Amino acid sequence: MANYWVNDNAQDNGDHEVHKEGCPYLPQIISKTYLGNFFSCSNAVAEARKKYPTSDGCATCIPECHTS
């Protein structure tokens, strides 16, 4: 299991990126929401989409959940 956060600020394409604990980009994100502790990134992205429907996984820390 791992801890996940979603960036509260959308990227230029409108996506709110979901990041996993240990991601090199996570410390740079000033406004983020803690999603919780999940077994898989797909569960974390699903949780993020409850708040931000355009959420997507970070290409660096969870490429298996990155779709756009």
Side-chain angles (χ1 to χ4, degrees):
M1 290 183 72
N3 293 305
Y4 291 86
W5 288 262
V6 63
N7 189 337
D8 294 321
N9 298 310
Q11 295 183 287
D12 291 339
N13 67 359
D15 286 351
H16 288 264
E17 281 199 328
V18 175
H19 299 271
K20 183 177 173 179
E21 182 175 17
C23 180
Y25 295 110
L26 194 56
Q28 301 168 17
I29 302 170
I30 295 169
S31 182
K32 57 188 172 255
T33 299
Y34 178 68
L35 297 170
N37 196 270
F38 297 93
F39 283 110
S40 72
C41 61
S42 59
N43 291 336
V45 171
E47 183 66 25
R49 287 183 178 157
K50 291 178 183 177
K51 183 173 184 175
Y52 301 117
T54 58
S55 295
D56 191 28
C58 171
T60 300
C61 64
I62 49 172
E64 64 272 27
C65 286
H66 177 74
T67 59
S68 62

